[in-house]
Amino acid sequence: MSTGAHQKSSSPSIPEPSQGVPVDVKAYYIARGIEIVRLHGKLYPSCKQEYQPKSVTITVNETLNQHISIFSYGSVVLFNIPEEDHGIHIRKINELSILPFSEVMVHSDSYKLLVHENLEAPSVIHNAHMNIRSLNSSNITIVSVVMAQTVALDYYAGNVAKMVEKFAAMNTNIQEAGKFTTVKETDLYKMVASNNSVFTNVLSKLGFFEGTDVAWENAEYTTTWEALRKEFELDSRYNDLSLKLNIINEDARFFLSVLQHQKSSKLEWIIIILIAGEMIIGLIGLGLHLYDLKKDGERDQRELLRDEANIKAVKSE
């Protein structure tokens, strides 16, 4: 990730990390979706819950800065939750997950916040951590949204990388064999569907370009929002993902058009073979008919000669 300060040139120097209250943040992408509406009363019934359009934030222990933000598209962001308790919370949330991932497929990322009550700037990013005045609901929303999006983006980037590898392997096989026998049409359809799914999920479910109400309504939080997105390189990573998806889409279209042409050529040959077969069957039938006519003629001629011989024999008597 890139690092940089997000403060005016006249802002004071960045406080020493030891002077702030540390808050460890860890985000997980655990499922294709989470039913956050059902959270109320089912999970954490005694905890304060604050709902957003795509998420709910649960205050586990406000004194210890312990919060959990759960997103409808499958991300979970833990604030200051002890590392040994992460698995407990993830398993609990998975009870309301839609198509949860196996542990090997779960993507995660970590970040550190330092709370400085006397910080003059609203927030300062420096050396892979962010200094903030307080861990209020607005800052929790901004940090959790960015962290939730970054782990989800990692997951989709991994899927796209696998698709790119598959197309690279297809191109290599075709280059070596000189034909498309190794390419399966069903595989191409699956990759096209996966390609479309990534576009849909990143743009609509993640709300990648929607921002947050907090950032829109307050200039200070807008600065924090933009700086944190830059810190995690969300825009450049999305552009890279979008470029790869377009390449996959073009490759898939090309392969499908070639396979379609091959299928059309195969159907043409099948039609030609069927017509030729029908003609051969017709010729065979005509030949058999002529053969039968010839046999009938020869039989009639023999019978005629026999009749003539009989007549002559009668006359001679």
Side-chain angles (χ1 to χ4, degrees):
M1 292 184 295
S2 62
T3 58
H6 112 264
Q7 57 180 358
K8 298 180 181 178
S9 57
S10 58
S11 297
S13 60
I14 301 170
E16 290 294 329
S18 60
Q19 298 176 358
V21 178
V23 176
D24 293 319
V25 184
K26 189 157 188 177
Y28 296 89
Y29 189 56
I30 66 170
R32 293 294 178 88
I34 301 173
E35 298 180 272
I36 60 173
V37 176
R38 293 179 58 202
L39 281 171
H40 184 68
K42 282 190 170 289
L43 303 180
Y44 311 100
S46 61
C47 297
K48 174 186 174 183
Q49 299 181 7
E50 183 177 346
Y51 283 82
Q52 300 289 335
K54 296 179 184 293
S55 67
V56 58
T57 297
I58 298 164
T59 300
V60 178
N61 189 319
E62 192 165 10
T63 304
L64 298 178
N65 290 322
Q66 293 181 351
H67 307 273
I68 301 175
S69 292
I70 305 169
F71 290 78
S72 59
Y73 50 78
S75 292
V76 177
V77 184
L78 307 175
F79 290 82
N80 239 23
I81 302 294
E83 188 81 23
E84 60 271 19
D85 292 339
H86 286 193
I88 298 173
H89 291 286
I90 295 300
R91 284 191 293 272
K92 183 184 291 188
I93 295 168
N94 261 336
E95 294 176 9
L96 299 178
S97 294
I98 303 168
L99 298 176
F101 302 135
S102 62
E103 290 186 11
V104 295
M105 293 180 63
V106 171
H107 285 257
S108 64
D109 202 352
S110 302
Y111 199 56
K112 182 178 285 294
L113 304 176
L114 291 170
V115 181
H116 298 271
E117 294 183 357
N118 298 323
L119 190 68
E120 292 187 19
S123 61
V124 178
I125 292 178
H126 182 68
N127 290 338
H129 70 266
M130 183 170 73
N131 301 271
I132 56 177
R133 287 185 190 142
S134 66
L135 191 65
N136 56 21
S137 62
S138 297
N139 278 326
I140 290 173
T141 297
I142 290 173
V143 174
S144 64
V145 169
V146 172
M147 292 292 291
Q149 289 180 346
T150 195
V151 290
L153 202 60
D154 280 344
Y155 169 80
Y156 290 114
N159 283 355
V160 170
K162 291 177 183 177
M163 286 191 282
V164 170
E165 289 177 1
K166 287 183 180 179
F167 273 110
M170 287 181 184
N171 285 319
T172 300
N173 291 333
I174 292 168
Q175 186 177 5
E176 293 175 353
K179 52 187 176 180
F180 283 74
T181 54
T182 57
V183 179
K184 293 183 179 180
E185 189 173 5
T186 53
D187 291 340
L188 288 174
Y189 283 131
K190 287 179 181 179
M191 283 190 277
V192 169
S194 297
N195 190 38
N196 294 336
S197 175
V198 172
F199 263 125
T200 301
N201 289 332
V202 172
L203 289 177
S204 63
K205 290 187 178 180
L206 269 65
F208 201 78
F209 296 108
E210 293 177 6
T212 64
D213 293 338
V214 172
W216 288 114
E217 295 169 358
N218 190 305
E220 288 188 354
Y221 293 120
T222 300
T223 307
T224 302
W225 165 258
E226 293 175 350
L228 199 57
R229 281 179 62 87
K230 184 178 179 180
E231 170 76 359
F232 282 91
E233 301 176 342
L234 289 183
D235 289 334
S236 61
R237 288 162 60 197
Y238 172 80
N239 291 334
D240 180 64
L241 182 69
S242 180
L243 176 62
K244 290 178 180 178
L245 288 172
N246 287 330
I247 292 172
I248 292 170
N249 195 34
E250 291 299 320
D251 280 352
R253 285 183 180 180
F254 169 71
F255 285 134
L256 285 172
S257 65
V258 173
L259 287 175
Q260 187 64 35
H261 176 71
Q262 287 184 340
K263 186 183 291 185
S264 299
S265 299
K266 188 182 293 184
L267 288 174
E268 290 175 359
W269 276 108
I270 290 173
I271 292 171
I272 291 172
I273 292 171
L274 288 174
I275 293 173
E278 187 176 355
M279 292 177 64
I280 291 171
I281 292 171
L283 290 172
I284 292 173
L286 179 61
L288 291 173
H289 180 65
L290 292 174
Y291 178 78
D292 290 339
L293 289 176
K294 182 180 178 182
K295 288 293 184 180
D296 290 342
E298 291 176 350
R299 186 178 65 252
D300 292 342
Q301 188 175 8
R302 285 195 301 270
E303 289 178 355
L304 180 61
L305 292 173
R306 188 172 59 252
D307 290 342
E308 289 178 352
N310 291 333
I311 293 171
K312 288 179 179 181
V314 171
K315 287 180 178 181
S316 63
E317 292 177 358

